Amino acid sequence: MKEQVKQKVDLTPILTPIFLVLGVFLMAGSVLGGGALDQVENGPVRIHVNYQENNYSSPWKQKKAGSRSGYGCVLSSRRILTTADIVKDSTMIKLEKPGGKKFYPGRIEVIDYDVDLAVVSVEDESFFDGLTPVEIDQRIRIDQPVKFMVMENSNKIRAIPGEIVKISVENYFLVPDTYLTYGAAVNFEDRGGGWSEPVFSNGKLIGITMSYSGKKQYATIIPASIISRFLAADLSGGYIGFSHHGFVGAGVRDPVFREYLHLPPDSGGVYISSIYPDSSADGVLKEGDVLLSVDGFKIDVDGYYKNPDWGSVDCRDLFSRLHSPGEEIEVEIFRGGEKLKKKIKLSRLDRSDYLIPPYSNGEPLEYLIVGGLIFQELTADYLKEWGENWQTKANKKFLYFYTYHAHRPEPERRRMVILNKILPDRINLGYQGKADLVLAEVNGRPISVIGDVKEALNHPEGGFHRFTFEEFDQELILPVASLPEADRRIGEQYGVDGE
Amino acid sequence: MSEGNNNLSAWFLLLFAVISGLVIPAIGRTENATDRIRSAVVKIKNISQRPSYDSPWEDNDFSGGRGTGVIITGNRILTSAHVVSDSKYIEIEKENSGTPYRGVVAYIAHDCDLAIIELLDPSFFEDTTVLSFNDQIPELGSLVLVYGFPSGGRRISVTRGVVSRIDYTLYSHSARDYHLILQIDAAINPGNSGGPVLQDGEIVGIAFQAVQPSENVGHVIPITVIEHFLDDIKDGRYDGYPDLGIVTSNLLNPAYRDYVNLPEGRTGVVASALVDDHSAIGIIQPGDIILSIAGNPIGNDGTILIDGESYQLEEVVERKQAGDEVVFDIIRGGEEISCRVPLRKNKELLKTWKEYEEQPEYFLLGGLLFQPLSLEYLKTWMGDWWSRSDPRLLYYFKYYNQDKLCREMPEVILLSRVLAARVNQYYSDLHDLVIKDVNGVRILSLSDLVSAFENHTGPYHVIKFDGDFPPCVLNVEDVKKENQRILERYRVNRDRYIKK
């Protein structure tokens, strides 16, 4: 049995070349599990995932199924902690204990694509027999020796030594957003099968591996403090997620810029250059403000605060890691020559807050095929259909909006609804070949989300449907009367389902 | 799912690839290669130098190229524009003579890749002949002869070919326009460019480009395009092709025809959009059904018939000059009316084509280099510019008309890069940012930008960019103090070039 190679792709910065981490071929079952049960305590369990992703290019189809493996840790709540990238788009999850010999079906209980974490539950309680839950330790320091726990193909647990070399706010794996990470020097030369290795120090979990570069021998770790907040965010009323600062800012090192802003000589700060609509910052901060302190921490000229344990850390950490959505934090800002204190009510940056969602949420893709015209919402996954070099090959308009406006839905355009392509049929004669256009109106009604198309089709104009696109205001006309017959014909011809 | 962009790369410009030392034996005299024809075909050597769009105050290195030309009436040599573009020095040689004569470009038309060379010494023409034009487009399948000096060579080469297709194609030299071409099955090699293509001893075209992936496919500029050029320069100046600026939608779809109430038995296309600043705007309106152009009925696919051959409706305009008129029969609001569209050359502010003979515009202040977005600028991105350039620049470039960005930003002015200096030390890594405003003034052109800097009286220059970037703030006094030193340090002889 061969595992499919899983490619870990560094999503950010959005337009730098994709960086690949090792592909691993796992020969499971080729060697029988050997004892080593003395290390079971705290040890990882293996998670095998079968997955299938939506096909964004032909949205009525699914992509070829695949499989991947990773590690999980047993939580005291008798559930398994792992990364979201291991379990996303899963069709089946199987858990395997050290020692192997049996699979236990699992299912996703909580998943957060932002911080790349997930909790998996197991129906069969006997899975936990002999397994001890991990203890989470949020304390960390630079130079701290750590152990990456892996299971060899023989199902023997092995600890690979590493050392924490960096504690910083970096881009996360699935979403182009930043949270606290640990960086560790480690050589996975002998890496076992799977990903998301738990990382221990002094017998306690300090993080989970998010990505690894074999070339740099460097692993990025999701820290225990992010894990703890993730676990705490799963309330009885539902998962509340992580709060997001909601602005774009820059440091104020330049003395001329500081003079121009009339900033006091001793003050640092973050210059607010843009605010995401409906975000934490919206309505409180304004473009041109300088953020002087957050939650009692002074911000320096580079936008860092002084963490008592780790030194300088990007101030965005104060918004995401130390507080939950719904909480208020106090900020001090400099506006119009004055220092002001303001309260920011933190909120989550949800998938629904994106003009172009950067990740799929595992749900079926919404689309609509009418008269062979395929409509759907523009997403990062659609752009990725351009293949390996999608960041340079995809449609230039789409790339521009994804790169610079993905966070910026407008009330009248919450998503970009696009004409993917046209399935040729006699009803769309003369229109064929049109593709990758942004739908502005249907029957004169503005289109903001895919659902609006369906609604607008209830209001034909004199026996016709009129589709208006942004580019050159092009229009396509379909006759209402012959549509049902055409849609049936197209459905049969191309094996598609209209919605 | 692929994008139909960048067809530019599919074309191969012939001239500049002449490899010295590669000897191609000259073909002996053929039956048709009479002395009369041979003594009208000349070899052209050009030394050219292009400006640098990266450091627009400098020129790039010299380069040399060779091509062919043909003598036409009035002691003129007709050739391809790309043979003699960006020229610093031209030599003309007759076959076998070995004596170079100095030539100068009299007219050059980059959009249709044609040029006229004149000689300083008229004695050159003493033992030459003149070839005349055949004003008919040759028939498909008919034989033609290509004369030229492929790969340099002293003696003339003649290749026989068949006219295999008559079609519209992008003229890759400027990549600005589609014009008619003759496709022939004879290989056109570097050095053939600008050479005459003959039928029955008369010029039916000028060889000019090859299709790279296919073998033995050459493109020839047909007589209609040559005549348009010769007609255009009659007044002593090349003006270029007028553009209608009508974006049409075909009416092949029966429902669409019903929707626009196209009368039974009539055909035409819908004007779906009008491009700003082009000839038809304000005369033709979006939604008009265009039935005919200059009396030629338009098919539902947008084609017309000329001399029994089918052409795109733009062919009518292709054969007209700026200042001419074209009459359209249209249906507007159910009524059939006629519209006269005076044709003019539009001033396109975003240069989406390859430029020649042009000095790049720029302004340099405090080490900040400002340039307008253009194709030539994008090409300064190393390697495959279409993939590598910043997505904002590529979007503005490609969707300038489609998304009506031209209305917001007639010229897209960039902070292209920063020549590092003390005054800009916190901004020295900035590059390729689109300027929104300077000192509170909205920037719509490079001259707007210059006056926004120079008419400013406050203590700071404040440059704001399009997008989520913080502003760039410079101290006005420091800029004044350091500006000259920056120009000297980076050997910039002028701080600006702005076209009038």
Side-chain angles (χ1 to χ4, degrees):
Chain A
M1 183 179 101
K2 260 189 186 173
E3 287 293 334
Q4 266 220 340
V5 179
K6 182 194 158 203
Q7 294 183 334
K8 281 221 173 186
V9 179
D10 185 8
L11 279 171
T12 50
I14 292 171
L15 282 162
T16 52
I18 288 167
F19 113 79
L20 297 179
V21 190
L22 305 175
V24 172
F25 291 87
L26 172 69
M27 302 294 292
S30 57
V31 184
L32 287 174
L37 285 175
D38 52 323
Q39 290 192 13
V40 162
E41 189 175 352
N42 279 344
V45 298
R46 191 126 63 186
I47 303 175
H48 301 282
V49 173
N50 295 88
Y51 66 91
Q52 194 169 26
E53 293 168 2
N54 295 323
N55 183 330
Y56 292 84
S57 181
S58 300
W60 61 94
K61 290 199 263 191
Q62 289 270 296
K63 283 194 185 143
K64 208 176 142 207
S67 60
R68 51 170 107 95
S69 286
Y71 297 106
C73 300
V74 177
L75 297 168
S76 54
S77 56
R78 289 173 88 77
R79 299 179 304 171
I80 312 299
L81 173 73
T82 187
T83 57
D85 62 277
I86 289 294
V87 294
K88 70 191 263 285
D89 300 306
S90 53
T91 51
M92 182 166 68
I93 297 174
K94 296 179 291 194
L95 295 139
E96 190 185 2
K97 290 162 72 165
K101 301 192 183 73
K102 191 182 168 189
F103 289 136
Y104 296 78
R107 103 186 144 73
I108 297 174
E109 200 136 288
V110 188
I111 186 163
D112 187 329
Y113 299 88
D114 293 325
V115 292
D116 194 11
L117 289 170
V119 167
V120 174
S121 60
V122 194
E123 225 167 84
D124 185 347
E125 283 280 319
S126 72
F127 176 78
F128 296 99
D129 294 349
L131 294 177
T132 317
V134 291
E135 254 184 88
I136 297 173
D137 188 353
Q138 299 192 24
R139 287 168 306 165
I140 197 80
R141 60 178 165 76
I142 301 284
D143 300 338
Q144 186 167 326
V146 293
K147 285 176 181 160
F148 292 77
M149 305 303 278
V150 299
M151 247 198 282
E152 290 183 347
N153 296 336
S154 60
N155 278 339
K156 194 172 146 192
I157 293 169
R158 201 159 56 81
I160 299 173
E163 188 182 295
I164 300 295
V165 294
K166 195 175 173 189
I167 299 166
S168 60
V169 172
E170 305 285 343
N171 278 298
Y172 261 50
F173 189 70
L174 293 170
V175 174
D177 249 315
T178 52
Y179 299 93
L180 190 74
T181 64
Y182 303 156
V186 58
N187 183 358
F188 276 150
E189 195 188 328
D190 219 8
R191 205 177 189 187
W195 307 86
S196 311
E197 295 84 350
V199 191
F200 287 85
S201 186
N202 302 319
K204 290 179 179 167
L205 183 77
I206 62 103
I208 295 185
T209 311
M210 179 165 66
S211 66
Y212 174 65
S213 158
K215 208 164 116 194
K216 297 182 192 158
Q217 303 200 347
Y218 183 84
T220 306
I221 299 168
I222 304 169
S225 49
I226 295 281
I227 293 172
S228 298
R229 179 152 298 277
F230 165 69
L231 296 173
D234 183 26
L235 305 176
S236 57
Y239 180 74
I240 60 168
F242 280 70
S243 48
H244 190 278
H245 51 281
F247 59 81
V248 182
V252 290
R253 222 186 241 223
D254 175 16
V256 177
F257 189 39
R258 300 165 55 87
E259 271 171 47
Y260 160 75
L261 295 168
H262 303 293
L263 266 183
D266 61 330
S267 103
V270 167
Y271 177 85
I272 306 295
S273 55
S274 169
I275 289 164
Y276 295 161
D278 293 329
S279 69
S280 306
D282 195 7
V284 184
L285 301 183
K286 281 201 251 180
E287 193 187 317
D289 286 351
V290 179
L291 193 57
L292 301 174
S293 76
V294 178
D295 204 16
F297 290 94
K298 274 186 79 173
I299 311 299
D300 73 11
V301 290
D302 294 321
Y304 289 73
Y305 76 96
K306 199 87 177 161
N307 183 288
D309 300 318
W310 316 319
S312 291
V313 175
D314 189 316
C315 73
R316 286 175 288 187
D317 179 50
L318 295 168
F319 292 88
S320 58
R321 190 174 54 89
L322 300 179
H323 295 278
S324 290
E327 288 179 30
E328 277 193 344
I329 55 169
E330 193 172 82
V331 296
E332 194 182 14
I333 59 169
F334 189 77
R335 178 186 291 169
E338 269 184 278
K339 286 185 181 178
L340 303 172
K341 282 198 190 316
K342 296 253 176 193
K343 283 208 181 335
I344 289 184
K345 187 168 186 204
L346 295 169
S347 63
R348 187 184 187 187
L349 184 70
D350 194 60
R351 192 175 177 276
S352 62
D353 296 326
Y354 284 93
L355 175 69
I356 303 170
Y359 58 90
S360 68
N361 56 2
E363 283 172 21
L365 167 62
E366 279 189 78
Y367 66 95
L368 186 71
I369 302 179
V370 49
L373 280 56
I374 306 171
F375 295 108
Q376 67 204 73
E377 289 172 359
L378 180 61
T379 61
D381 292 290
Y382 182 78
L383 292 171
K384 287 171 191 163
E385 298 285 1
W386 262 273
E388 201 188 338
N389 296 321
W390 63 272
Q391 285 123 319
T392 58
K393 297 285 174 239
N395 176 287
K396 299 302 178 198
K397 179 172 178 175
F398 296 173
L399 276 179
Y400 162 71
F401 278 96
Y402 180 64
T403 311
Y404 292 114
H405 297 281
H407 285 115
R408 214 168 290 280
E410 290 154 17
E412 63 279 18
R413 186 167 81 167
R414 282 170 41 218
R415 290 283 160 84
M416 289 172 79
V417 177
I418 57 166
L419 172 70
N420 169 334
K421 58 184 166 238
I422 296 177
L423 299 170
D425 178 78
R426 62 176 185 264
I427 197 164
N428 54 47
L429 180 75
Y431 310 153
Q432 293 150 13
K434 290 199 187 290
D436 294 320
L437 300 173
V438 179
L439 186 62
E441 290 179 2
V442 174
N443 296 327
R445 287 157 189 264
I447 300 300
S448 171
V449 294
I450 184 75
D452 297 341
V453 181
K454 201 173 171 190
E455 163 58 22
L457 289 174
N458 294 328
H459 306 276
E461 299 175 333
F464 299 98
H465 288 309
R466 182 166 58 96
F467 301 88
T468 314
F469 298 92
E470 283 183 2
E471 296 81 3
F472 276 136
D473 305 321
Q474 294 168 77
E475 288 184 345
L476 299 182
I477 305 293
L478 292 177
V480 176
S482 19
L483 257 182
E485 172 61 18
D487 283 341
R488 193 194 51 74
R489 197 167 59 224
I490 291 164
E492 275 174 18
Q493 183 74 22
Y494 296 97
V496 302
D497 175 9
E499 297 176 20
Chain B
M1 231 169 53
S2 70
E3 221 185 357
N5 53 57
N6 207 7
N7 18 27
L8 325 180
S9 64
W11 301 104
F12 171 59
L13 263 187
L14 296 172
L15 184 78
F16 301 109
V18 173
I19 303 157
S20 58
L22 182 78
V23 178
I24 303 248
I27 291 170
R29 185 187 299 196
T30 72
E31 214 183 337
N32 292 315
T34 60
D35 288 346
R36 186 180 70 82
I37 293 170
R38 284 174 69 170
S39 49
V41 180
V42 301
K43 191 160 85 177
I44 301 172
K45 199 170 118 189
N46 178 36
I47 303 296
S48 61
Q49 192 178 29
R50 284 184 59 70
S52 160
Y53 283 78
D54 194 45
S55 302
W57 52 90
E58 288 176 356
D59 279 333
N60 286 326
D61 282 346
F62 291 102
S63 61
R66 285 177 205 170
T68 306
V70 59
I71 300 172
I72 59 170
T73 54
N75 283 354
R76 296 179 300 171
I77 295 168
L78 177 66
T79 185
S80 257
H82 74 260
V83 171
V84 290
S85 56
D86 290 317
S87 177
K88 296 278 169 179
Y89 182 80
I90 296 172
E91 278 180 359
I92 312 287
E93 255 177 60
K94 288 176 272 195
E95 191 191 5
N96 276 328
S97 88
T99 313
Y101 285 71
R102 178 83 196 277
V104 289
V105 175
Y107 300 98
I108 190 155
H110 297 289
D111 56 354
C112 60
D113 204 356
L114 288 169
I116 295 283
I117 314 290
E118 287 173 355
L119 278 97
L120 298 176
D121 179 359
S123 71
F124 174 85
F125 293 102
E126 274 164 16
D127 53 351
T128 61
T129 48
V130 166
L131 292 188
S132 56
F133 295 101
N134 179 334
D135 63 5
Q136 292 297 307
I137 288 178
E139 280 180 23
L140 271 182
S142 62
L143 275 180
V144 292
L145 293 175
V146 183
Y147 283 74
F149 295 91
S151 316
R154 239 186 193 191
R155 305 193 64 175
I156 210 158
S157 143
V158 185
T159 320
R160 191 190 293 266
V162 168
V163 178
S164 54
R165 178 184 276 178
I166 301 167
D167 204 355
Y168 291 89
T169 281
L170 185 73
Y171 276 41
S172 67
H173 171 57
S174 69
R176 183 172 189 172
D177 258 335
Y178 281 68
H179 302 294
L180 204 62
I181 55 123
L182 309 178
Q183 183 178 303
I184 60 173
D185 68 351
I188 291 183
N189 288 306
N192 265 128
S193 276
V197 178
L198 303 183
Q199 197 166 58
D200 303 326
E202 288 182 317
I203 302 171
V204 294
I206 295 290
F208 81 119
Q209 63 188 18
V211 185
Q212 196 176 31
S214 0
E215 282 179 18
N216 287 345
V217 178
H219 284 174
V220 173
I221 304 172
I223 193 67
T224 49
V225 177
I226 298 171
E227 278 179 344
H228 186 273
F229 167 65
L230 295 175
D231 192 32
D232 189 320
I233 61 174
K234 271 185 184 149
D235 59 358
R237 195 178 70 167
Y238 181 72
D239 299 306
Y241 284 79
D243 278 310
L244 271 180
I246 307 176
V247 181
T248 59
S249 296
N250 68 58
L251 277 175
L252 293 170
N253 194 286
Y256 200 1
R257 291 199 293 270
D258 290 348
Y259 175 77
V260 299
N261 288 318
L262 185 73
E264 197 59 44
R266 305 302 297 268
T267 60
V269 292
V270 174
S272 45
L274 281 300
V275 183
D276 281 6
D277 196 39
H278 286 53
S279 305
I281 194 153
I283 303 168
I284 304 290
Q285 289 174 9
D288 287 351
I289 306 171
I290 307 176
L291 302 171
S292 77
I293 175 167
N296 300 287
I298 300 170
N300 288 332
D301 60 351
T303 60
I304 53 173
L305 279 181
I306 301 177
D307 301 333
E309 287 285 341
S310 159
Y311 294 93
Q312 286 167 26
L313 68 93
E314 288 83 3
E315 180 61 19
V316 169
V317 181
E318 283 283 303
R319 301 184 185 189
K320 296 213 180 269
Q321 303 287 351
D324 293 350
E325 272 189 351
V326 176
V327 177
F328 289 89
D329 291 323
I330 65 165
I331 298 178
R332 178 181 299 163
E335 255 179 86
E336 205 170 319
I337 54 172
S338 280
C339 287
R340 262 170 212 286
V341 174
L343 296 174
R344 57 190 161 88
K345 181 86 196 121
N346 54 292
K347 56 169 198 300
E348 280 168 279
L349 295 171
L350 182 69
K351 312 276 192 290
T352 54
W353 56 90
K354 299 185 210 164
E355 293 176 81
Y356 301 90
E357 333 284 340
E358 299 281 354
Q359 177 91 32
E361 292 189 288
Y362 70 96
F363 178 60
L364 186 68
L365 184 77
L368 274 59
L369 175 59
F370 300 97
Q371 290 177 269
L373 177 65
S374 68
L375 174 62
E376 292 297 346
Y377 176 73
L378 287 174
K379 279 161 63 187
T380 64
W381 283 69
M382 306 303 266
D384 176 10
W385 63 270
W386 182 251
S387 297
R388 300 184 52 142
S389 312
D390 180 80
R392 180 188 312 273
L393 271 46
L394 291 174
Y395 170 63
Y396 286 6
F397 183 77
K398 184 162 183 197
Y399 287 83
Y400 179 73
N401 282 322
Q402 285 189 56
D403 278 2
K404 302 184 194 80
L405 307 173
C406 48
R407 293 183 186 169
E408 290 289 304
M409 292 195 184
E411 279 185 54
V412 181
I413 304 301
L414 309 177
L415 171 61
S416 52
R417 64 190 175 101
V418 177
L419 308 185
R422 184 183 282 225
V423 69
N424 60 42
Q425 59 178 322
Y426 291 95
Y427 304 101
S428 55
D429 293 334
L430 299 186
H431 65 94
D432 295 289
L433 297 169
V434 174
I435 310 294
K436 208 163 66 184
D437 62 60
V438 169
N439 297 328
V441 180
R442 187 101 174 80
I443 300 304
L444 305 176
S445 69
L446 194 58
S447 31
D448 280 359
L449 176 108
V450 173
S451 33
F453 278 118
E454 296 191 336
N455 300 339
H456 180 59
T457 49
Y460 305 102
H461 287 307
V462 182
I463 303 151
K464 291 194 174 158
F465 306 105
D466 185 36
D468 294 342
F469 304 95
C472 167
V473 178
L474 301 179
N475 181 302
V476 169
E477 283 310 311
D478 292 348
V479 169
K480 269 185 200 152
K481 265 184 251 160
E482 219 183 327
N483 204 39
Q484 190 53 35
R485 206 161 62 227
I486 296 170
L487 295 177
E488 280 162 18
R489 174 63 191 80
Y490 287 93
R491 297 183 192 180
V492 180
N493 50 0
R494 302 162 67 181
D495 70 347
R496 73 194 72 187
Y497 176 74
I498 291 146
K499 246 177 263 173
K500 287 284 161 284

